[in-house]
Amino acid sequence: MAPAEPNALPFRPKGETPYFAEEKEGWKGYVEWEEFPEKKKQAQEVLKRYDFPEPPEFQLIPLPTTNPVLTGERWKQYHSALGLSHIFHHSWETVLQEKSPDMTHILQFPYNGEAPGDRLIKTELTNNKDHFVRNHGGIPDIDPAKWTLDIGGLVKNPRKLTLAQLQDEKTFPRQSNIVTLQCSGTRRIEQIHEYPGDGDELINAPWGEGAISTARWTGVSLKRVIKYCGGLVDDKGADNIEFYGADTYFKKGGVHNYVVSVPWRKVKAHEVLLAWDMNGEQLPRIHGFPVRVVVFGYIGARSVKWLYKVRAIHRPSMAPVQRKEYLYYAPQIGKQNARYSNGFSIQDMPVSSAIITPKKMDQIVHEGRVRLAGWAYSGGGHWPVRVEVSGDGGSIWYEVPAENMSTKYFYAWRTWWVDLPVDAEGWLEMCVRCWDNAMNTQPTFVRSAWNWDLHVTSSAHRVKIYSINKSRPNTAARLKQLEENNTPIVPITRPIHFDLETDEEYAKAMESRAWRDPLE
């Protein structure tokens, strides 16, 4: 699949397309914005000359059935206007090289994609090619021999480290952890279907259940790196650590590098890793090569890819991703009254779970049990201890046997399966909820989880299926009849082309029912 071209830009200024040079030799696709306010201002003036398209409507009407689902035309045009169109071409080529061919491309650029769910939960650790991707900009191509990391801000001895220095085990002992990363947009499609919200396709892409994956990450604890720099300046109140990523990010007509922060207490607990290895392999370019941040138990947006700078600061970062995105609003906040200050910043990921199989609208022939399988997760230093499933929408719950759950880790999900007793036939609503070690569980309905930016769909996950229980004699007889007539039971919407019963059978049944009308 070739990269989709952007639509023709609606206006081109006189003269040549502006040229913003790549900052460093061997760093393709990286433009430094944060250090050069005049350059940012120049780019903002260029963007003002264009009448960019509105975001596509994907909430009040059905989603496209294409793959990619959404293409990110505005983002492509932003790059084109600044002479950076090569970035989205390179990014899509990287997707095709490094990800599985059957990924669902939720958003082509910047790339957002998830793997087929049944394969996602087959193993505790997600294959690198299947690991979900949630990018906020293009994918830089950085020569590891040219890569450096600047450590500055409120540290006693600011330093610049090469990759070789960072990987020197005599200076920085290795740390390796199994960690689940989860996008706060996981299962957003459920909120979209029932209660639409903010319609920016970049920040609110219509994710399903696959925006979560687990890997063994290897690198060095950021705490050790800060210690190598002499530690923090004690009297300056360095309570937060800010990360800079080499991708280009746009917000409200401005252009930025991707910048977020986490509290220093998270770093002190050795829960922030500078990683260069993913599942025993070199970190893929699409996942942040040469070095990325992995923040345990936090929203995936804090785990910055293509890291090039770390700064100790006082307050949380004032950069737009930290200050203006990933906010959780109260239920009565919306387009009419939302402000950056009246939503709280999402950090710890709450307890959540999902049914991966069966899928929505599946029609299942069974003998009194239906196998359900999925994942369960809790962030913020918690872990899943119990998973419960229901076949009646949440009235009666069955515990998943402990032996049907994967290994328990401090910072990772658990996959699970269960053969759920199902006697009823017809449309049923299966649902799942998780309990973590702090006795946190999930809201029962998606309405309770709704928020304007459609983040953190933490409600019990629900899947409607059609039950066909062949342990029931009448159902078994009908299935045999269908087989003899070479007629499939699925899909149930396909009509039956033979009579449902003979005249004799009908008369006998009606006689037993005293026919249709009352006696008197």
Side-chain angles (χ1 to χ4, degrees):
M1 184 186 300
E5 294 289 343
N7 295 326
L9 288 169
F11 170 75
R12 284 199 178 279
K14 295 180 180 179
E16 297 181 357
T17 301
Y19 174 68
F20 293 98
E22 294 170 338
E23 303 302 323
K24 300 179 181 180
E25 181 186 356
W27 291 54
K28 297 179 181 178
Y30 160 60
V31 179
E32 174 58 45
W33 302 105
E34 303 308 315
E35 294 293 327
F36 304 108
E38 288 303 314
K39 185 196 293 187
K40 293 179 74 170
K41 184 177 179 181
Q42 181 188 357
Q44 189 169 8
E45 290 302 315
V46 171
L47 294 174
K48 284 181 180 178
R49 300 171 188 169
Y50 294 89
D51 183 18
F52 293 107
E54 291 294 324
E57 179 55 67
F58 61 93
Q59 298 194 45
L60 299 176
I61 63 175
L63 276 175
T65 57
T66 54
N67 193 21
V69 180
L70 302 173
T71 57
E73 294 307 307
R74 286 185 308 143
W75 223 252
K76 294 176 187 177
Q77 291 188 24
Y78 294 160
H79 281 74
S80 292
L82 299 180
L84 302 175
S85 60
H86 61 284
I87 293 178
F88 65 74
H89 287 288
H90 169 72
S91 295
W92 185 240
E93 290 168 0
T94 303
V95 171
L96 299 180
Q97 291 167 7
E98 295 191 345
K99 304 312 293 182
S100 295
D102 56 352
M103 294 284 285
T104 298
H105 310 305
I106 305 294
L107 181 61
Q108 187 184 39
F109 185 76
Y111 185 68
N112 288 219
E114 58 183 276
D118 52 354
R119 193 165 70 239
L120 182 68
I121 61 169
K122 276 187 177 179
T123 55
E124 290 182 4
L125 301 186
T126 311
N127 183 288
N128 288 356
K129 285 183 172 290
D130 287 341
H131 198 289
F132 90 97
V133 180
R134 197 281 186 251
N135 288 342
H136 296 78
I139 300 170
D141 189 359
I142 302 172
D143 181 349
K146 303 291 186 181
W147 179 85
T148 56
L149 177 63
D150 289 311
I151 312 293
L154 300 176
V155 296
K156 292 179 179 178
N157 302 308
R159 294 180 182 269
K160 184 187 293 287
L161 300 174
T162 65
L163 184 59
Q165 289 173 314
L166 193 66
Q167 293 179 334
D168 182 356
E169 291 191 76
K170 293 180 181 178
T171 306
F172 302 116
R174 298 281 167 88
Q175 181 173 322
S176 183
N177 297 89
I178 292 176
V179 178
T180 292
L181 293 182
Q182 183 182 17
C183 177
S184 71
T186 309
R187 296 177 42 207
R188 177 177 285 129
I189 194 65
E190 296 164 49
Q191 293 195 58
I192 288 174
H193 281 165
E194 294 197 42
Y195 309 100
D198 191 358
D200 186 329
E201 83 277 22
L202 171 84
I203 195 64
N204 291 332
W207 288 101
E209 299 83 42
I212 182 172
S213 300
T214 301
R216 176 173 285 281
W217 307 92
T218 301
V220 59
S221 168
L222 178 58
K223 182 180 180 181
R224 296 185 184 278
V225 178
I226 298 294
K227 183 179 180 180
Y228 179 74
C229 296
L232 302 180
V233 179
D234 296 331
D235 60 349
K236 299 295 184 180
D239 297 324
N240 291 270
I241 304 297
E242 191 175 46
F243 308 123
Y244 288 64
D247 41 339
T248 291
Y249 182 78
F250 298 89
K251 181 69 177 179
K252 304 293 186 185
V255 59
H256 313 266
N257 295 110
Y258 187 84
V259 181
V260 296
S261 65
V262 300
W264 167 242
R265 66 179 181 273
K266 194 74 176 170
V267 178
K268 283 201 301 183
H270 292 287
E271 292 182 345
V272 179
L273 193 67
L274 306 186
W276 56 77
D277 184 288
M278 182 178 180
N279 287 329
E281 300 176 0
Q282 176 181 281
L283 187 67
R285 285 177 296 164
I286 200 169
H287 287 290
F289 177 81
V291 174
R292 70 169 296 163
V293 179
V294 177
V295 183
F296 306 173
Y298 265 27
I299 174 179
R302 310 301 179 222
S303 292
V304 173
K305 307 180 189 74
W306 312 291
L307 182 71
Y308 71 93
K309 185 188 295 185
V310 174
R311 292 178 67 243
I313 58 177
H314 179 36
R315 300 292 185 190
S317 174
M318 291 295 287
V321 180
Q322 188 76 32
R323 184 165 62 96
K324 301 178 181 180
E325 307 284 15
Y326 298 103
L327 303 174
Y328 199 90
Y329 290 107
Q332 294 192 49
I333 301 294
K335 189 172 184 177
Q336 73 280 5
N337 57 2
R339 302 169 66 90
Y340 301 132
S341 57
N342 61 6
F344 64 78
S345 184
I346 306 168
Q347 299 280 56
D348 290 336
M349 287 303 293
V351 61
S352 59
S353 60
I355 298 169
I356 298 299
T357 58
K359 300 184 183 305
K360 178 182 177 182
M361 298 297 171
D362 275 356
Q363 300 125 68
I364 302 173
V365 179
H366 60 90
E367 295 183 353
R369 289 184 178 270
V370 173
R371 175 159 295 190
L372 277 59
W375 56 259
Y377 174 63
S378 187
H382 300 126
W383 56 90
V385 294
R386 189 166 75 207
V387 174
E388 297 172 335
V389 294
S390 172
D392 63 358
S395 294
I396 299 174
W397 295 90
Y398 296 82
E399 182 177 357
V400 173
E403 60 269 23
N404 294 1
M405 297 177 65
S406 63
T407 309
K408 193 184 303 178
Y409 297 103
F410 279 110
Y411 308 111
W413 68 2
R414 301 181 74 180
T415 59
W416 57 269
W417 64 271
V418 64
D419 289 326
L420 179 67
V422 176
D423 178 62
E425 295 193 288
W427 285 109
L428 305 177
E429 189 172 59
M430 306 293 180
C431 52
V432 60
R433 68 184 180 192
C434 173
W435 296 81
D436 70 14
N437 62 304
M439 295 300 293
N440 299 308
T441 192
Q442 300 171 245
T444 304
F445 299 103
V446 70
R447 185 68 182 89
S448 302
W450 184 85
N451 59 100
W452 170 239
D453 272 353
L454 307 175
H455 290 300
V456 191
T457 310
S458 59
S459 53
H461 186 221
R462 296 170 178 273
V463 175
K464 293 182 175 67
I465 69 158
Y466 192 86
S467 167
I468 304 166
N469 187 353
K470 66 179 181 180
S471 69
R472 292 186 169 191
N474 287 343
T475 299
R478 173 54 53 82
L479 290 171
K480 181 179 179 182
Q481 189 181 24
L482 290 168
E483 184 178 4
E484 291 171 349
N485 283 272
N486 199 28
T487 301
I489 184 68
V490 174
I492 59 170
T493 52
R494 186 172 298 169
I496 295 176
H497 297 294
F498 54 83
D499 276 337
L500 302 183
E501 58 187 338
T502 65
D503 291 346
E504 291 77 11
E505 290 170 333
Y506 176 81
K508 183 177 179 181
M510 295 307 296
E511 187 67 37
S512 69
R513 297 167 187 256
W515 296 91
R516 296 209 186 270
D517 295 325
L519 181 61
E520 59 177 79

